[in-house]
Amino acid sequence: MEKTDIKGIDSKITSFITSSSDTVYFEYGAYNNPFNESKIIVNDSLIYKTLKENSFSESVVFSTNKELDSNQGVFLDNYYYYDTINNHIAKVMLPKKSKRDKWVYILKMLMERKITFLFIHFIH
């Protein structure tokens, strides 16, 4: 297994290349949160047209059932679910279009209300 340390701005990043050529990234720091995805969903065609014309194009989508589509994450680029790994709650992200990547995000609350994150990215 090949290990590489990568320079991060405010976190420690390490990658490992496995014998099957998978790459696993570990990022440990106080501010990394890769699972912050959102879309603006509107059900009014005039509002939709106005927002699209004012450069919000990628984050604005039109839906005839705004609440249901928002609750189900229909327009998000990824699937999300929670799991437990060694007694730690982990949020897992799976891209809807790419079957290559899998992201795991572990949040651990420490004493004195400090928060640390461990972010793992698997690439096949």
PDB file of all heavy atoms in Angstrom, residues 34-69:
ATOM      1  N   PRO A  34     -17.915  18.020   3.371  1.00  0.00           N
ATOM      2  CA  PRO A  34     -18.176  17.894   1.942  1.00  0.00           C
ATOM      3  C   PRO A  34     -19.636  17.620   1.604  1.00  0.00           C
ATOM      4  O   PRO A  34     -20.003  17.610   0.450  1.00  0.00           O
ATOM      5  CB  PRO A  34     -17.314  16.707   1.551  1.00  0.00           C
ATOM      6  CG  PRO A  34     -17.289  15.878   2.790  1.00  0.00           C
ATOM      7  CD  PRO A  34     -17.260  16.857   3.929  1.00  0.00           C
ATOM      8  N   PHE A  35     -20.482  17.414   2.603  1.00  0.00           N
ATOM      9  CA  PHE A  35     -21.857  17.040   2.330  1.00  0.00           C
ATOM     10  C   PHE A  35     -22.812  18.215   2.505  1.00  0.00           C
ATOM     11  O   PHE A  35     -23.835  18.114   3.137  1.00  0.00           O
ATOM     12  CB  PHE A  35     -22.284  15.899   3.249  1.00  0.00           C
ATOM     13  CG  PHE A  35     -21.482  14.649   3.073  1.00  0.00           C
ATOM     14  CD1 PHE A  35     -21.468  13.698   4.062  1.00  0.00           C
ATOM     15  CD2 PHE A  35     -20.750  14.419   1.929  1.00  0.00           C
ATOM     16  CE1 PHE A  35     -20.741  12.528   3.920  1.00  0.00           C
ATOM     17  CE2 PHE A  35     -20.022  13.262   1.768  1.00  0.00           C
ATOM     18  CZ  PHE A  35     -20.013  12.314   2.768  1.00  0.00           C
ATOM     19  N   ASN A  36     -22.468  19.324   1.934  1.00  0.00           N
ATOM     20  CA  ASN A  36     -23.283  20.519   2.055  1.00  0.00           C
ATOM     21  C   ASN A  36     -23.865  20.854   0.685  1.00  0.00           C
ATOM     22  O   ASN A  36     -23.464  21.803   0.041  1.00  0.00           O
ATOM     23  CB  ASN A  36     -22.436  21.676   2.586  1.00  0.00           C
ATOM     24  CG  ASN A  36     -23.283  22.840   3.023  1.00  0.00           C
ATOM     25  OD1 ASN A  36     -24.497  22.738   3.082  1.00  0.00           O
ATOM     26  ND2 ASN A  36     -22.642  23.950   3.310  1.00  0.00           N
ATOM     27  N   GLU A  37     -24.822  20.061   0.237  1.00  0.00           N
ATOM     28  CA  GLU A  37     -25.402  20.197  -1.092  1.00  0.00           C
ATOM     29  C   GLU A  37     -26.830  20.725  -0.966  1.00  0.00           C
ATOM     30  O   GLU A  37     -27.599  20.248  -0.140  1.00  0.00           O
ATOM     31  CB  GLU A  37     -25.416  18.818  -1.766  1.00  0.00           C
ATOM     32  CG  GLU A  37     -25.970  18.810  -3.143  1.00  0.00           C
ATOM     33  CD  GLU A  37     -25.983  17.415  -3.754  1.00  0.00           C
ATOM     34  OE1 GLU A  37     -25.571  16.445  -3.112  1.00  0.00           O
ATOM     35  OE2 GLU A  37     -26.429  17.317  -4.897  1.00  0.00           O
ATOM     36  N   SER A  38     -27.173  21.694  -1.773  1.00  0.00           N
ATOM     37  CA  SER A  38     -28.547  22.194  -1.741  1.00  0.00           C
ATOM     38  C   SER A  38     -28.949  22.720  -3.115  1.00  0.00           C
ATOM     39  O   SER A  38     -28.111  23.103  -3.915  1.00  0.00           O
ATOM     40  CB  SER A  38     -28.707  23.291  -0.694  1.00  0.00           C
ATOM     41  OG  SER A  38     -27.935  24.408  -1.060  1.00  0.00           O
ATOM     42  N   LYS A  39     -30.235  22.708  -3.359  1.00  0.00           N
ATOM     43  CA  LYS A  39     -30.818  23.247  -4.595  1.00  0.00           C
ATOM     44  C   LYS A  39     -31.985  24.143  -4.214  1.00  0.00           C
ATOM     45  O   LYS A  39     -32.656  23.920  -3.206  1.00  0.00           O
ATOM     46  CB  LYS A  39     -31.342  22.118  -5.492  1.00  0.00           C
ATOM     47  CG  LYS A  39     -30.315  21.091  -5.917  1.00  0.00           C
ATOM     48  CD  LYS A  39     -29.413  21.599  -6.997  1.00  0.00           C
ATOM     49  CE  LYS A  39     -28.465  20.480  -7.417  1.00  0.00           C
ATOM     50  NZ  LYS A  39     -27.594  20.843  -8.473  1.00  0.00           N
ATOM     51  N   ILE A  40     -32.224  25.151  -5.014  1.00  0.00           N
ATOM     52  CA  ILE A  40     -33.402  25.999  -4.834  1.00  0.00           C
ATOM     53  C   ILE A  40     -34.496  25.411  -5.712  1.00  0.00           C
ATOM     54  O   ILE A  40     -34.356  25.338  -6.932  1.00  0.00           O
ATOM     55  CB  ILE A  40     -33.109  27.456  -5.237  1.00  0.00           C
ATOM     56  CG1 ILE A  40     -31.979  28.032  -4.385  1.00  0.00           C
ATOM     57  CG2 ILE A  40     -34.369  28.304  -5.137  1.00  0.00           C
ATOM     58  CD1 ILE A  40     -31.441  29.355  -4.888  1.00  0.00           C
ATOM     59  N   ILE A  41     -35.567  24.963  -5.077  1.00  0.00           N
ATOM     60  CA  ILE A  41     -36.671  24.333  -5.805  1.00  0.00           C
ATOM     61  C   ILE A  41     -37.858  25.284  -5.775  1.00  0.00           C
ATOM     62  O   ILE A  41     -38.290  25.713  -4.707  1.00  0.00           O
ATOM     63  CB  ILE A  41     -37.048  22.977  -5.182  1.00  0.00           C
ATOM     64  CG1 ILE A  41     -35.830  22.051  -5.159  1.00  0.00           C
ATOM     65  CG2 ILE A  41     -38.199  22.338  -5.948  1.00  0.00           C
ATOM     66  CD1 ILE A  41     -36.039  20.773  -4.400  1.00  0.00           C
ATOM     67  N   VAL A  42     -38.359  25.626  -6.959  1.00  0.00           N
ATOM     68  CA  VAL A  42     -39.497  26.536  -7.051  1.00  0.00           C
ATOM     69  C   VAL A  42     -40.612  25.870  -7.859  1.00  0.00           C
ATOM     70  O   VAL A  42     -40.351  25.038  -8.727  1.00  0.00           O
ATOM     71  CB  VAL A  42     -39.112  27.892  -7.686  1.00  0.00           C
ATOM     72  CG1 VAL A  42     -38.145  28.656  -6.810  1.00  0.00           C
ATOM     73  CG2 VAL A  42     -38.534  27.704  -9.062  1.00  0.00           C
ATOM     74  N   ASN A  43     -41.850  26.242  -7.546  1.00  0.00           N
ATOM     75  CA  ASN A  43     -42.989  25.697  -8.284  1.00  0.00           C
ATOM     76  C   ASN A  43     -43.774  26.792  -9.010  1.00  0.00           C
ATOM     77  O   ASN A  43     -44.880  26.560  -9.459  1.00  0.00           O
ATOM     78  CB  ASN A  43     -43.906  24.890  -7.361  1.00  0.00           C
ATOM     79  CG  ASN A  43     -44.431  25.710  -6.203  1.00  0.00           C
ATOM     80  OD1 ASN A  43     -44.090  26.875  -6.059  1.00  0.00           O
ATOM     81  ND2 ASN A  43     -45.237  25.090  -5.361  1.00  0.00           N
ATOM     82  N   ASP A  44     -43.179  27.956  -9.130  1.00  0.00           N
ATOM     83  CA  ASP A  44     -43.790  29.072  -9.847  1.00  0.00           C
ATOM     84  C   ASP A  44     -42.911  29.368 -11.065  1.00  0.00           C
ATOM     85  O   ASP A  44     -41.728  29.692 -10.919  1.00  0.00           O
ATOM     86  CB  ASP A  44     -43.877  30.293  -8.920  1.00  0.00           C
ATOM     87  CG  ASP A  44     -44.534  31.482  -9.588  1.00  0.00           C
ATOM     88  OD1 ASP A  44     -43.935  32.025 -10.543  1.00  0.00           O
ATOM     89  OD2 ASP A  44     -45.618  31.876  -9.137  1.00  0.00           O
ATOM     90  N   SER A  45     -43.480  29.268 -12.257  1.00  0.00           N
ATOM     91  CA  SER A  45     -42.684  29.417 -13.482  1.00  0.00           C
ATOM     92  C   SER A  45     -42.092  30.812 -13.643  1.00  0.00           C
ATOM     93  O   SER A  45     -40.984  30.972 -14.168  1.00  0.00           O
ATOM     94  CB  SER A  45     -43.506  29.042 -14.713  1.00  0.00           C
ATOM     95  OG  SER A  45     -44.656  29.853 -14.793  1.00  0.00           O
ATOM     96  N   LEU A  46     -42.773  31.844 -13.171  1.00  0.00           N
ATOM     97  CA  LEU A  46     -42.247  33.214 -13.270  1.00  0.00           C
ATOM     98  C   LEU A  46     -41.033  33.394 -12.350  1.00  0.00           C
ATOM     99  O   LEU A  46     -40.016  33.958 -12.754  1.00  0.00           O
ATOM    100  CB  LEU A  46     -43.340  34.233 -12.939  1.00  0.00           C
ATOM    101  CG  LEU A  46     -42.941  35.708 -13.070  1.00  0.00           C
ATOM    102  CD1 LEU A  46     -42.468  36.013 -14.490  1.00  0.00           C
ATOM    103  CD2 LEU A  46     -44.102  36.608 -12.697  1.00  0.00           C
ATOM    104  N   ILE A  47     -41.137  32.896 -11.128  1.00  0.00           N
ATOM    105  CA  ILE A  47     -39.995  32.962 -10.194  1.00  0.00           C
ATOM    106  C   ILE A  47     -38.825  32.147 -10.738  1.00  0.00           C
ATOM    107  O   ILE A  47     -37.676  32.585 -10.704  1.00  0.00           O
ATOM    108  CB  ILE A  47     -40.408  32.472  -8.791  1.00  0.00           C
ATOM    109  CG1 ILE A  47     -41.410  33.443  -8.169  1.00  0.00           C
ATOM    110  CG2 ILE A  47     -39.189  32.312  -7.886  1.00  0.00           C
ATOM    111  CD1 ILE A  47     -42.032  32.958  -6.877  1.00  0.00           C
ATOM    112  N   TYR A  48     -39.129  30.969 -11.263  1.00  0.00           N
ATOM    113  CA  TYR A  48     -38.083  30.122 -11.845  1.00  0.00           C
ATOM    114  C   TYR A  48     -37.348  30.845 -12.978  1.00  0.00           C
ATOM    115  O   TYR A  48     -36.123  30.897 -12.998  1.00  0.00           O
ATOM    116  CB  TYR A  48     -38.704  28.822 -12.352  1.00  0.00           C
ATOM    117  CG  TYR A  48     -37.747  27.937 -13.096  1.00  0.00           C
ATOM    118  CD1 TYR A  48     -36.759  27.228 -12.423  1.00  0.00           C
ATOM    119  CD2 TYR A  48     -37.820  27.806 -14.479  1.00  0.00           C
ATOM    120  CE1 TYR A  48     -35.882  26.411 -13.104  1.00  0.00           C
ATOM    121  CE2 TYR A  48     -36.945  26.997 -15.170  1.00  0.00           C
ATOM    122  CZ  TYR A  48     -35.982  26.300 -14.480  1.00  0.00           C
ATOM    123  OH  TYR A  48     -35.103  25.492 -15.163  1.00  0.00           O
ATOM    124  N   LYS A  49     -38.090  31.436 -13.892  1.00  0.00           N
ATOM    125  CA  LYS A  49     -37.496  32.158 -15.024  1.00  0.00           C
ATOM    126  C   LYS A  49     -36.634  33.322 -14.532  1.00  0.00           C
ATOM    127  O   LYS A  49     -35.527  33.533 -15.023  1.00  0.00           O
ATOM    128  CB  LYS A  49     -38.595  32.662 -15.952  1.00  0.00           C
ATOM    129  CG  LYS A  49     -38.085  33.363 -17.182  1.00  0.00           C
ATOM    130  CD  LYS A  49     -39.215  33.816 -18.076  1.00  0.00           C
ATOM    131  CE  LYS A  49     -38.647  34.570 -19.262  1.00  0.00           C
ATOM    132  NZ  LYS A  49     -39.677  35.141 -20.110  1.00  0.00           N
ATOM    133  N   THR A  50     -37.123  34.066 -13.547  1.00  0.00           N
ATOM    134  CA  THR A  50     -36.381  35.213 -13.005  1.00  0.00           C
ATOM    135  C   THR A  50     -35.077  34.765 -12.354  1.00  0.00           C
ATOM    136  O   THR A  50     -34.023  35.363 -12.574  1.00  0.00           O
ATOM    137  CB  THR A  50     -37.248  35.971 -11.969  1.00  0.00           C
ATOM    138  OG1 THR A  50     -38.455  36.389 -12.602  1.00  0.00           O
ATOM    139  CG2 THR A  50     -36.518  37.180 -11.434  1.00  0.00           C
ATOM    140  N   LEU A  51     -35.140  33.709 -11.549  1.00  0.00           N
ATOM    141  CA  LEU A  51     -33.917  33.211 -10.894  1.00  0.00           C
ATOM    142  C   LEU A  51     -32.916  32.676 -11.909  1.00  0.00           C
ATOM    143  O   LEU A  51     -31.711  32.899 -11.785  1.00  0.00           O
ATOM    144  CB  LEU A  51     -34.274  32.124  -9.873  1.00  0.00           C
ATOM    145  CG  LEU A  51     -35.002  32.600  -8.623  1.00  0.00           C
ATOM    146  CD1 LEU A  51     -35.453  31.415  -7.782  1.00  0.00           C
ATOM    147  CD2 LEU A  51     -34.131  33.531  -7.803  1.00  0.00           C
ATOM    148  N   LYS A  52     -33.382  31.952 -12.914  1.00  0.00           N
ATOM    149  CA  LYS A  52     -32.482  31.410 -13.941  1.00  0.00           C
ATOM    150  C   LYS A  52     -31.795  32.531 -14.720  1.00  0.00           C
ATOM    151  O   LYS A  52     -30.626  32.416 -15.069  1.00  0.00           O
ATOM    152  CB  LYS A  52     -33.245  30.512 -14.911  1.00  0.00           C
ATOM    153  CG  LYS A  52     -33.727  29.219 -14.323  1.00  0.00           C
ATOM    154  CD  LYS A  52     -32.606  28.272 -14.032  1.00  0.00           C
ATOM    155  CE  LYS A  52     -32.374  27.331 -15.163  1.00  0.00           C
ATOM    156  NZ  LYS A  52     -31.410  26.295 -14.859  1.00  0.00           N
ATOM    157  N   GLU A  53     -32.509  33.604 -14.978  1.00  0.00           N
ATOM    158  CA  GLU A  53     -31.939  34.731 -15.723  1.00  0.00           C
ATOM    159  C   GLU A  53     -30.936  35.518 -14.901  1.00  0.00           C
ATOM    160  O   GLU A  53     -30.141  36.264 -15.448  1.00  0.00           O
ATOM    161  CB  GLU A  53     -33.062  35.662 -16.202  1.00  0.00           C
ATOM    162  CG  GLU A  53     -33.897  35.067 -17.308  1.00  0.00           C
ATOM    163  CD  GLU A  53     -35.111  35.915 -17.653  1.00  0.00           C
ATOM    164  OE1 GLU A  53     -35.370  36.914 -16.950  1.00  0.00           O
ATOM    165  OE2 GLU A  53     -35.809  35.568 -18.620  1.00  0.00           O
ATOM    166  N   ASN A  54     -30.956  35.360 -13.593  1.00  0.00           N
ATOM    167  CA  ASN A  54     -30.049  36.099 -12.725  1.00  0.00           C
ATOM    168  C   ASN A  54     -28.930  35.221 -12.178  1.00  0.00           C
ATOM    169  O   ASN A  54     -28.549  35.329 -11.019  1.00  0.00           O
ATOM    170  CB  ASN A  54     -30.834  36.755 -11.580  1.00  0.00           C
ATOM    171  CG  ASN A  54     -31.687  37.891 -12.085  1.00  0.00           C
ATOM    172  OD1 ASN A  54     -31.166  38.856 -12.621  1.00  0.00           O
ATOM    173  ND2 ASN A  54     -32.994  37.771 -11.949  1.00  0.00           N
ATOM    174  N   SER A  55     -28.430  34.347 -13.015  1.00  0.00           N
ATOM    175  CA  SER A  55     -27.218  33.536 -12.789  1.00  0.00           C
ATOM    176  C   SER A  55     -27.295  32.524 -11.651  1.00  0.00           C
ATOM    177  O   SER A  55     -26.281  32.092 -11.150  1.00  0.00           O
ATOM    178  CB  SER A  55     -25.996  34.440 -12.584  1.00  0.00           C
ATOM    179  OG  SER A  55     -25.991  35.025 -11.307  1.00  0.00           O
ATOM    180  N   PHE A  56     -28.466  32.120 -11.244  1.00  0.00           N
ATOM    181  CA  PHE A  56     -28.589  31.046 -10.273  1.00  0.00           C
ATOM    182  C   PHE A  56     -28.842  29.717 -10.990  1.00  0.00           C
ATOM    183  O   PHE A  56     -29.384  28.791 -10.429  1.00  0.00           O
ATOM    184  CB  PHE A  56     -29.762  31.306  -9.303  1.00  0.00           C
ATOM    185  CG  PHE A  56     -29.551  32.493  -8.424  1.00  0.00           C
ATOM    186  CD1 PHE A  56     -30.116  33.708  -8.736  1.00  0.00           C
ATOM    187  CD2 PHE A  56     -28.771  32.391  -7.285  1.00  0.00           C
ATOM    188  CE1 PHE A  56     -29.926  34.813  -7.919  1.00  0.00           C
ATOM    189  CE2 PHE A  56     -28.585  33.477  -6.458  1.00  0.00           C
ATOM    190  CZ  PHE A  56     -29.162  34.701  -6.781  1.00  0.00           C
ATOM    191  N   SER A  57     -28.458  29.617 -12.226  1.00  0.00           N
ATOM    192  CA  SER A  57     -28.886  28.535 -13.103  1.00  0.00           C
ATOM    193  C   SER A  57     -28.645  27.124 -12.569  1.00  0.00           C
ATOM    194  O   SER A  57     -29.501  26.277 -12.681  1.00  0.00           O
ATOM    195  CB  SER A  57     -28.236  28.690 -14.473  1.00  0.00           C
ATOM    196  OG  SER A  57     -26.838  28.686 -14.331  1.00  0.00           O
ATOM    197  N   GLU A  58     -27.489  26.852 -12.005  1.00  0.00           N
ATOM    198  CA  GLU A  58     -27.197  25.487 -11.582  1.00  0.00           C
ATOM    199  C   GLU A  58     -27.951  25.070 -10.328  1.00  0.00           C
ATOM    200  O   GLU A  58     -28.259  23.905 -10.148  1.00  0.00           O
ATOM    201  CB  GLU A  58     -25.704  25.304 -11.362  1.00  0.00           C
ATOM    202  CG  GLU A  58     -24.921  25.287 -12.639  1.00  0.00           C
ATOM    203  CD  GLU A  58     -23.470  24.967 -12.409  1.00  0.00           C
ATOM    204  OE1 GLU A  58     -23.167  24.275 -11.418  1.00  0.00           O
ATOM    205  OE2 GLU A  58     -22.655  25.409 -13.208  1.00  0.00           O
ATOM    206  N   SER A  59     -28.227  26.016  -9.455  1.00  0.00           N
ATOM    207  CA  SER A  59     -28.845  25.640  -8.186  1.00  0.00           C
ATOM    208  C   SER A  59     -30.366  25.800  -8.167  1.00  0.00           C
ATOM    209  O   SER A  59     -30.996  25.482  -7.179  1.00  0.00           O
ATOM    210  CB  SER A  59     -28.236  26.453  -7.050  1.00  0.00           C
ATOM    211  OG  SER A  59     -28.510  27.823  -7.240  1.00  0.00           O
ATOM    212  N   VAL A  60     -30.965  26.250  -9.256  1.00  0.00           N
ATOM    213  CA  VAL A  60     -32.411  26.458  -9.304  1.00  0.00           C
ATOM    214  C   VAL A  60     -33.043  25.396 -10.197  1.00  0.00           C
ATOM    215  O   VAL A  60     -32.601  25.188 -11.324  1.00  0.00           O
ATOM    216  CB  VAL A  60     -32.768  27.859  -9.842  1.00  0.00           C
ATOM    217  CG1 VAL A  60     -34.269  28.029  -9.966  1.00  0.00           C
ATOM    218  CG2 VAL A  60     -32.187  28.932  -8.951  1.00  0.00           C
ATOM    219  N   VAL A  61     -34.069  24.739  -9.665  1.00  0.00           N
ATOM    220  CA  VAL A  61     -34.802  23.741 -10.443  1.00  0.00           C
ATOM    221  C   VAL A  61     -36.293  23.985 -10.286  1.00  0.00           C
ATOM    222  O   VAL A  61     -36.745  24.525  -9.280  1.00  0.00           O
ATOM    223  CB  VAL A  61     -34.446  22.302 -10.021  1.00  0.00           C
ATOM    224  CG1 VAL A  61     -33.018  21.961 -10.410  1.00  0.00           C
ATOM    225  CG2 VAL A  61     -34.660  22.100  -8.545  1.00  0.00           C
ATOM    226  N   PHE A  62     -37.060  23.578 -11.300  1.00  0.00           N
ATOM    227  CA  PHE A  62     -38.506  23.736 -11.279  1.00  0.00           C
ATOM    228  C   PHE A  62     -39.149  22.398 -10.967  1.00  0.00           C
ATOM    229  O   PHE A  62     -38.741  21.359 -11.473  1.00  0.00           O
ATOM    230  CB  PHE A  62     -39.013  24.244 -12.632  1.00  0.00           C
ATOM    231  CG  PHE A  62     -40.502  24.415 -12.668  1.00  0.00           C
ATOM    232  CD1 PHE A  62     -41.086  25.558 -12.140  1.00  0.00           C
ATOM    233  CD2 PHE A  62     -41.308  23.431 -13.203  1.00  0.00           C
ATOM    234  CE1 PHE A  62     -42.463  25.721 -12.156  1.00  0.00           C
ATOM    235  CE2 PHE A  62     -42.679  23.582 -13.219  1.00  0.00           C
ATOM    236  CZ  PHE A  62     -43.265  24.732 -12.697  1.00  0.00           C
ATOM    237  N   SER A  63     -40.173  22.420 -10.120  1.00  0.00           N
ATOM    238  CA  SER A  63     -40.886  21.203  -9.756  1.00  0.00           C
ATOM    239  C   SER A  63     -42.364  21.508  -9.591  1.00  0.00           C
ATOM    240  O   SER A  63     -42.733  22.554  -9.055  1.00  0.00           O
ATOM    241  CB  SER A  63     -40.331  20.644  -8.445  1.00  0.00           C
ATOM    242  OG  SER A  63     -41.145  19.584  -7.991  1.00  0.00           O
ATOM    243  N   THR A  64     -43.204  20.581 -10.021  1.00  0.00           N
ATOM    244  CA  THR A  64     -44.633  20.734  -9.792  1.00  0.00           C
ATOM    245  C   THR A  64     -45.023  20.245  -8.401  1.00  0.00           C
ATOM    246  O   THR A  64     -46.132  20.501  -7.942  1.00  0.00           O
ATOM    247  CB  THR A  64     -45.452  19.954 -10.845  1.00  0.00           C
ATOM    248  OG1 THR A  64     -45.046  18.588 -10.800  1.00  0.00           O
ATOM    249  CG2 THR A  64     -45.229  20.530 -12.231  1.00  0.00           C
ATOM    250  N   ASN A  65     -44.109  19.546  -7.726  1.00  0.00           N
ATOM    251  CA  ASN A  65     -44.359  19.066  -6.369  1.00  0.00           C
ATOM    252  C   ASN A  65     -43.146  19.408  -5.500  1.00  0.00           C
ATOM    253  O   ASN A  65     -42.375  18.537  -5.092  1.00  0.00           O
ATOM    254  CB  ASN A  65     -44.634  17.564  -6.368  1.00  0.00           C
ATOM    255  CG  ASN A  65     -45.295  17.114  -5.093  1.00  0.00           C
ATOM    256  OD1 ASN A  65     -45.207  17.775  -4.069  1.00  0.00           O
ATOM    257  ND2 ASN A  65     -45.967  15.981  -5.166  1.00  0.00           N
ATOM    258  N   LYS A  66     -42.987  20.686  -5.240  1.00  0.00           N
ATOM    259  CA  LYS A  66     -41.804  21.243  -4.576  1.00  0.00           C
ATOM    260  C   LYS A  66     -41.480  20.568  -3.242  1.00  0.00           C
ATOM    261  O   LYS A  66     -40.342  20.171  -3.002  1.00  0.00           O
ATOM    262  CB  LYS A  66     -42.029  22.741  -4.379  1.00  0.00           C
ATOM    263  CG  LYS A  66     -40.967  23.459  -3.623  1.00  0.00           C
ATOM    264  CD  LYS A  66     -41.357  24.925  -3.461  1.00  0.00           C
ATOM    265  CE  LYS A  66     -40.469  25.617  -2.466  1.00  0.00           C
ATOM    266  NZ  LYS A  66     -40.833  27.019  -2.289  1.00  0.00           N
ATOM    267  N   GLU A  67     -42.449  20.434  -2.363  1.00  0.00           N
ATOM    268  CA  GLU A  67     -42.193  19.900  -1.026  1.00  0.00           C
ATOM    269  C   GLU A  67     -41.745  18.448  -1.076  1.00  0.00           C
ATOM    270  O   GLU A  67     -40.775  18.056  -0.422  1.00  0.00           O
ATOM    271  CB  GLU A  67     -43.437  20.042  -0.129  1.00  0.00           C
ATOM    272  CG  GLU A  67     -43.736  21.469   0.285  1.00  0.00           C
ATOM    273  CD  GLU A  67     -44.399  22.294  -0.822  1.00  0.00           C
ATOM    274  OE1 GLU A  67     -44.980  21.711  -1.769  1.00  0.00           O
ATOM    275  OE2 GLU A  67     -44.315  23.535  -0.749  1.00  0.00           O
ATOM    276  N   LEU A  68     -42.440  17.620  -1.849  1.00  0.00           N
ATOM    277  CA  LEU A  68     -42.095  16.202  -1.934  1.00  0.00           C
ATOM    278  C   LEU A  68     -40.715  16.015  -2.567  1.00  0.00           C
ATOM    279  O   LEU A  68     -39.888  15.261  -2.052  1.00  0.00           O
ATOM    280  CB  LEU A  68     -43.148  15.443  -2.732  1.00  0.00           C
ATOM    281  CG  LEU A  68     -42.923  13.933  -2.853  1.00  0.00           C
ATOM    282  CD1 LEU A  68     -42.955  13.280  -1.474  1.00  0.00           C
ATOM    283  CD2 LEU A  68     -43.968  13.320  -3.763  1.00  0.00           C
ATOM    284  N   ASP A  69     -40.456  16.707  -3.673  1.00  0.00           N
ATOM    285  CA  ASP A  69     -39.160  16.586  -4.339  1.00  0.00           C
ATOM    286  C   ASP A  69     -38.024  17.076  -3.451  1.00  0.00           C
ATOM    287  O   ASP A  69     -36.936  16.503  -3.437  1.00  0.00           O
ATOM    288  CB  ASP A  69     -39.158  17.343  -5.663  1.00  0.00           C
ATOM    289  CG  ASP A  69     -39.999  16.640  -6.725  1.00  0.00           C
ATOM    290  OD1 ASP A  69     -40.332  15.456  -6.528  1.00  0.00           O
ATOM    291  OD2 ASP A  69     -40.320  17.273  -7.740  1.00  0.00           O
TER     292      ASP A  69
END
